[in-house]
Amino acid sequence: MVGANIVSSERPRRLRLGMVGGGNDAFIGAVHRTAARIDDHFTLLAGALSSTPSRSRESGEALGLDRVYDDYKQMAIREARLKAGVEVVAIVTPNDSHYPIAREFLRRGIHVICDKPLTSTLDDANKLLKTVNNNKAIFVLSHNYTCYPLIRQAREMVTSGYLGQIRVVQVEYVQDWLTEVVNNKQAEWRTDPMRSGEGGAIGDIGTHAYNLVRFVTGLKVEQVSADLQAFVVGRLLDDNAHVMLRFEDGVRGMLWASQVAPGNENGLRLRVYGDKGGIEWAQEEPNLMWYTPYGCSTRKITRNCAETLEAANRLSRIPPGHPEGYLEGFANLYSEAAAAIRAFDRGEKVPLSVTYPTVQDGLDGMRFISACVKSSRGNSRWVKID
Amino acid sequence: MVGANIVSSERPRRLRLGMVGGGNDAFIGAVHRTAARIDDHFTLLAGALSSTPSRSRESGEALGLDRVYDDYKQMAIREARLKAGVEVVAIVTPNDSHYPIAREFLRRGIHVICDKPLTSTLDDANKLLKTVNNNKAIFVLSHNYTCYPLIRQAREMVTSGYLGQIRVVQVEYVQDWLTEVVNNKQAEWRTDPMRSGEGGAIGDIGTHAYNLVRFVTGLKVEQVSADLQAFVVGRLLDDNAHVMLRFEDGVRGMLWASQVAPGNENGLRLRVYGDKGGIEWAQEEPNLMWYTPYGCSTRKITRNCAETLEAANRLSRIPPGHPEGYLEGFANLYSEAAAAIRAFDRGEKVPLSVTYPTVQDGLDGMRFISACVKSSRGNSRWVKID
Amino acid sequence: MVGANIVSSERPRRLRLGMVGGGNDAFIGAVHRTAARIDDHFTLLAGALSSTPSRSRESGEALGLDRVYDDYKQMAIREARLKAGVEVVAIVTPNDSHYPIAREFLRRGIHVICDKPLTSTLDDANKLLKTVNNNKAIFVLSHNYTCYPLIRQAREMVTSGYLGQIRVVQVEYVQDWLTEVVNNKQAEWRTDPMRSGEGGAIGDIGTHAYNLVRFVTGLKVEQVSADLQAFVVGRLLDDNAHVMLRFEDGVRGMLWASQVAPGNENGLRLRVYGDKGGIEWAQEEPNLMWYTPYGCSTRKITRNCAETLEAANRLSRIPPGHPEGYLEGFANLYSEAAAAIRAFDRGEKVPLSVTYPTVQDGLDGMRFISACVKSSRGNSRWVKID
Amino acid sequence: MVGANIVSSERPRRLRLGMVGGGNDAFIGAVHRTAARIDDHFTLLAGALSSTPSRSRESGEALGLDRVYDDYKQMAIREARLKAGVEVVAIVTPNDSHYPIAREFLRRGIHVICDKPLTSTLDDANKLLKTVNNNKAIFVLSHNYTCYPLIRQAREMVTSGYLGQIRVVQVEYVQDWLTEVVNNKQAEWRTDPMRSGEGGAIGDIGTHAYNLVRFVTGLKVEQVSADLQAFVVGRLLDDNAHVMLRFEDGVRGMLWASQVAPGNENGLRLRVYGDKGGIEWAQEEPNLMWYTPYGCSTRKITRNCAETLEAANRLSRIPPGHPEGYLEGFANLYSEAAAAIRAFDRGEKVPLSVTYPTVQDGLDGMRFISACVKSSRGNSRWVKID
């Protein structure tokens, strides 16, 4: 076995973590918990795991939590008073509750790791931004895909000029699980405007794609022209979204988000082209990236190989050929959060190498959703993202 | 070796073929000649291979032609008078000359196989349509990609309801050969509005993509919203085109055509999704298609395998696992042309199974180019294709 | 996000884990620790992390262990006396020390999770088998690849007759990290006969391949014919191994293990063919398996999809399209170990669905190494594995 | 469309071609005829297409041949006397008739393109070698896979030292069409020892694999250790073959040939590893090759790209991204044959760049079959290929 550079999971003290949402049958809650464990920076101690108190208690017991609360407000108040209360809370509830929940913790100096998209309304998003700015705590948004090592590699390559002047960006996030009417809990709130907000696929997964593009290229999207559809009869939010993008500096792009494309499981795929080269990456095979210097053969860059850069390698645990996946990518988000929180708590600046999606990124995503919906309602006219 | 169903290349008499354009260093001329030979339905006898008489003669000699002409008009006149003159002519010149050349042959009852796109102007395209309608001859447009066996399979599957109600279509045709300023003959006329027409990438390759979508789905595109760019400084025509599509019946699509995306050689790729399934096919791996019946695992359909349909198998020569390629696909176009011409010459209807791109398809493509250019100039407003 | 079936990581009480070996710069120690954390069945409390006491202490401190020991014997004695001493120990040292270490713990009723291959000599392996049989403790060997969900799928499919009567098995485990002389710690002991045993590549990775074949097919390998080479000058153990296999029931196979094949990172790949179908799986893309029912198109089976079986799904955390990787596979080994230990400690039988590699599998692997070496020395004559 | 280098199909005069075998429903006959047409170096004029005179005539008529014969001997005699008789004959009959047929033509100075394997017995093979040596004519064996452009690339790379000192070769040729008892004509003679010879899969496809290895590496195989099986009940010849190879210079290899591996259509795949790099190529995706310089990322080399060598490009017709396939590879064999024959007829040496499989290669293949059968019967003992 080749020498490895597993992310050093050994740290002086684990951060005390709480969780709001994520009760027994929730998907993303369990993902957050696993991600928090992988690199051993956190101990989950307390939670308000469901808005139904009995379910919260049941779930908390099952998880062996020290302290289980009936509601998040109570939790924020009490934890803040405890000497060894939680230092950071993961919010894994539907979008419409992100802002009120985050507010309670942030104003008490408890750091927040919040599920995406930021909120269900632009108004809430703006308020949350202010709340973060007015309080002394770290806020991390779970755009987990930015934490895949090869996405860091892509970003570093763009920044360092490997692709030359960027010209064209193609991004898509394609699933098929809403091809028909679905009645489970996951589907229910994600297709409900009251809880999800005005975006369906464009909000749930389109913002991931948008965020990924922004993260990798560093380019601002100035305008969007969107055509959103709800194909399934009775669905109130879009389940398929076509968007043309105009970036700063004349860069052009397309974004496709869909939850009704049979054969696609979790098809987030990014392609970036400049005048000196192109790259291609897909989430379902996250351990490799295709890189073509213009005029040369395409290179298969594998995670943690001899040709990857430090920005990618620092988030890599094991040697190439030993696949890391979605949970490790998500764990990287938690490890970045831990690094940021620790620096913050020491009164230091977050190291430059540490990067995580911020409330500003979340607001940017909300503006993107809003602009897309506006454009689509305006017969796809170009709408500025301000 | 497994039993094969090679396309029966054995026919009573070869059709007498002429060629206009396709002199010594032309790419597509040699492709047409090879395609015409593969299934042995044609003998190339005469040509006006270049607008420069000396080059025409040189090229004709090199090819061992019986009769070489200084110009196409002279050729049309004389061949029409010969008892054993050419019955069909391949036109492989730049777009602006397609109409005048085709006219000379068609009006003399000589069948035409013409390179795409149809013409350089919509006006010429309309005239050519009339010319075809007013004369008794077959006109075949070289949208060769419609003749790949698995594209026929895709079409048959859509028609037969394998995918259910179609909802979303994604098509792209991506190359990188114009990433920088290129000065060879191929690049020169393709980026010259006077010879190519108003479309650059959208004309040269975008029409292939558009035609493929139309062919496979059978759906009319009603409106386009386009954003065309010329990234290379000094280039007069688009080298990258983003287009949103609105089909009849509420179907939606996206089309991306680019000649400036490093790492892409000839990346024509089609994805079609309905409420019962999805398919995916890429020209660079033409011997396989991915098919997912919704809720089931994805099937790898190989050319000529146990699960392909007669519409695909009839254009297949050799067993699965023995790859056919671009030239065989192009040869299928010639074989379809031969079948049509033979039926026509016998005074019979062209058999239903025989399919080829017509002048109407060519006009449709020209309208697509025109609508895209109009939309792009109108800040991507939706423009009807009428 | 589609409804998920993340492995329930919620358990009444975590098992107390110790570790022998796995000091600061060891690869596999960190892998074991991460794997133990992922599903939250274990807490690492104590260790003898290096044979050098100062390094053991340093490493233990870095890991925040409660109890750090200078040597494993001391650790076994003391932990066995503690009321809340470790219940299970992970042994992640070079092969030659597996037996003596395991013995100390097993005889004190402490369960063992031991790195592969079992020992460095067949003699030690036999002794270890006896030790396990004579004591009351679970022994788990870290053939982690058997815990990938789709390997469980493969096994279940073979057992259930999807492939019919098995005929041919092809397995390979190919790396390139020893292509040249390598001087790091990993390489050093793995190429040292005193610590590794008589097998080089055939021991380090060949046994993984062998074990995988045995696990998936359930078939006994009766004879091997091997041709082992050490290509790098001065290397004392094989770095490339070619083996022909004769299984019971007339089944035939080939096994290739190499550490000198440039371009291969961790290429463990299994193909099994019967008279009704075939399957293919590769460790570097562990989330998919190719399955061909004879006469039909090949199916792409993805982890946790609609067509996977319970035996695979129970080891799957997240939905298809969200890749799990090497660490999750390894975590499954720990989760299986936890389930077995818990049943054992309750005095119950290990549930039938719970499967893990045993000391018997380890002995079988040692016999395989021995037979290969004997065959190779005997000019590749067939040698029985008894 | 990028500038192309289509194989110049323009030649002063086509060679007059005859065919023995290849009647109406034969697979390989039609392949030879198409291959001969693609680059336009040949005109098929005469044939003895079946051993049944009436079928020969029928088939000849269908093909529009000028001269059809009842048997090959008659054909050889008469054609040799004609002023414009055939100059070269393609022999596409079962293996046992290759020698007597070839002899009749060669002794009359008519060049031969003969299907593989060379003969059905080693004795015939030796006689055929003598016949070729004693007569003045070119003899080409249809190991068509050596004519794929990227196989030429591979060979040139090995020769030029891209891979350094070769160490390990892995080759496999895997199909599934004989998984069950098959009763068609193709299957019938290929599983009949009287017509095929002593090798089943090892002869029909194993020799292709063996020849490919020899061609690409230039290395002599000194010894083989083989384990041949006939899995289908009642089958007289092997349908699965496992072979270990010992080359000169200590190079080692494995060869697997199978016709009973469900999911494999025509899986010829070659991997070569040296101390400086490795390559991998598969016939089903012949337009790309993977090349890894040791310590660097893997390169995707596409046919006719900027990084391919002249030895590959000279057999390439169209630009990268425009797939060529099996028939083009076979056409390259015919083009090489034409070049050789033309040089021969001019009394010149065959140019060094022109390469084709010879009678000597055919004899080498027969010796390989013989050695494998002998080894397998001798319990896989190592047998020399002399």
Side-chain angles (χ1 to χ4, degrees), chain C residues 65-99:
Chain C
L65 297 192
D66 290 359
R67 302 179 294 279
V68 186
Y69 297 92
D70 282 5
D71 73 82
Y72 68 84
K73 196 157 180 180
Q74 186 191 33
M75 175 177 165
I77 294 168
R78 297 208 192 152
E79 289 293 320
R81 288 180 190 156
L82 286 176
K83 199 179 162 185
V86 299
E87 299 159 279
V88 49
V89 67
I91 301 175
V92 292
T93 56
N95 311 342
D96 59 328
S97 58
H98 291 177
Y99 165 58

Side-chain angles (χ1 to χ4, degrees), chain B residues 347-359:
Chain B
E348 293 169 10
K349 274 201 145 177
V350 174
L352 275 177
S353 60
V354 173
T355 309
Y356 56 88
T358 65
V359 68

Side-chain angles (χ1 to χ4, degrees), chain A residues 219-384:
Chain A
L219 291 168
K220 189 172 156 40
V221 177
E222 294 180 336
Q223 297 178 69
V224 297
S225 164
D227 196 21
L228 311 186
Q229 301 85 32
F231 280 109
V232 172
V233 175
R235 190 162 287 163
L236 299 174
L237 293 174
D238 64 281
D239 50 25
N240 189 80
H242 293 169
V243 189
M244 299 196 295
L245 309 168
R246 286 184 180 161
F247 296 81
E248 57 185 325
D249 297 337
V251 175
R252 291 292 193 270
M254 295 179 103
L255 181 151
W256 174 40
S258 185
Q259 294 173 319
V260 295
N264 293 280
E265 294 178 334
N266 198 39
L268 173 60
R269 185 176 171 227
L270 175 68
R271 294 178 284 178
V272 183
Y273 302 101
D275 61 3
K276 302 239 171 305
I279 53 172
E280 182 168 347
W281 178 87
Q283 189 273 151
E284 298 193 357
E285 290 189 285
N287 295 284
L288 62 89
M289 191 180 68
W290 302 101
Y291 162 51
T292 314
Y294 181 59
C296 300
S297 63
T298 297
R299 270 86 169 127
K300 182 182 175 182
I301 307 288
T302 53
R303 186 185 46 73
N304 220 354
C305 77
E307 297 184 10
T308 45
L309 304 167
E310 176 51 25
N313 295 345
R314 61 179 282 277
L315 294 183
S316 220
R317 287 159 193 78
I318 42 178
H322 299 70
E324 296 192 21
Y326 176 87
L327 292 170
E328 286 81 4
F330 221 110
N332 288 335
L333 185 91
Y334 268 81
S335 296
E336 294 288 63
I341 289 168
R342 284 178 168 136
F344 184 94
D345 289 351
R346 284 191 304 263
E348 294 169 9
K349 276 199 142 177
V350 174
L352 276 177
S353 59
V354 173
T355 309
Y356 58 89
T358 65
V359 68
Q360 187 64 56
D361 294 320
L363 176 60
D364 188 24
M366 295 305 295
R367 285 176 177 154
F368 168 73
I369 297 172
S370 177
C372 287
V373 171
K374 201 167 162 187
S375 170
S376 189
R377 286 184 188 148
N379 202 26
S380 310
R381 69 180 177 80
W382 287 103
V383 171
K384 282 193 189 165

Side-chain angles (χ1 to χ4, degrees), chain A residues 37-38 177 265 285 302, chain C residues 1 37-38 177 265 285 302:
Chain A
R37 271 197 305 274
I38 284 180
W177 69 291
E265 294 178 334
E285 290 189 285
T302 53
Chain C
M1 184 67 63
R37 271 197 306 274
I38 283 179
W177 69 291
E265 293 178 334
E285 291 188 285
T302 54

Side-chain angles (χ1 to χ4, degrees), chain D residues 156-383:
Chain D
E156 189 71 15
M157 287 174 74
V158 169
T159 307
S160 307
Y162 281 68
L163 308 193
Q165 180 85 21
I166 301 305
R167 289 171 168 172
V168 177
V169 178
Q170 297 287 332
V171 67
E172 60 188 47
Y173 197 150
V174 197
Q175 303 179 327
D176 66 6
W177 71 291
L178 294 177
T179 293
E180 298 177 350
V181 174
V182 178
N183 287 315
N184 67 28
K185 199 188 159 184
Q186 293 298 328
E188 203 188 311
W189 74 258
R190 280 182 165 81
T191 55
D192 173 5
M194 298 303 295
R195 298 159 83 191
S196 253
E198 59 185 342
I202 197 68
D204 189 25
I205 55 178
T207 49
H208 267 312
Y210 173 78
N211 177 263
L212 198 68
V213 164
R214 296 267 297 111
F215 180 76
V216 167
T217 67
L219 292 168
K220 188 170 158 42
V221 177
E222 295 181 336
Q223 296 178 68
V224 297
S225 163
D227 195 21
L228 311 187
Q229 302 83 32
F231 280 109
V232 172
V233 175
R235 191 162 287 162
L236 299 174
L237 294 174
D238 65 281
D239 48 27
N240 189 80
H242 294 169
V243 189
M244 299 197 294
L245 309 169
R246 287 185 179 159
F247 295 82
E248 57 186 323
D249 297 336
V251 176
R252 291 292 192 270
M254 291 178 104
L255 182 152
W256 175 38
S258 185
Q259 293 173 320
V260 295
N264 293 279
E265 294 177 335
N266 199 38
L268 173 59
R269 183 175 172 228
L270 176 67
R271 295 178 284 180
V272 183
Y273 302 101
D275 61 4
K276 302 239 170 306
I279 53 172
E280 181 168 349
W281 178 88
Q283 189 273 151
E284 297 193 358
E285 292 188 285
N287 295 283
L288 61 90
M289 189 180 69
W290 303 101
Y291 162 51
T292 312
Y294 181 58
C296 301
S297 63
T298 297
R299 272 84 169 126
K300 183 181 175 183
I301 307 289
T302 54
R303 185 185 48 71
N304 221 353
C305 77
E307 297 183 9
T308 44
L309 304 167
E310 176 52 24
N313 295 344
R314 60 180 282 278
L315 294 184
S316 221
R317 289 160 191 77
I318 43 178
H322 298 70
E324 297 192 20
Y326 175 88
L327 291 170
E328 286 81 4
F330 221 111
N332 288 335
L333 185 92
Y334 269 82
S335 295
E336 294 288 64
I341 290 167
R342 283 177 169 136
F344 185 95
D345 290 351
R346 284 191 304 264
E348 293 169 9
K349 275 199 144 179
V350 174
L352 276 178
S353 59
V354 173
T355 309
Y356 58 88
T358 64
V359 68
Q360 185 66 54
D361 294 320
L363 175 60
D364 188 25
M366 294 306 295
R367 284 174 176 157
F368 168 74
I369 297 172
S370 176
C372 288
V373 171
K374 201 166 160 187
S375 170
S376 188
R377 286 182 189 151
N379 201 26
S380 309
R381 69 180 178 79
W382 287 103
V383 171

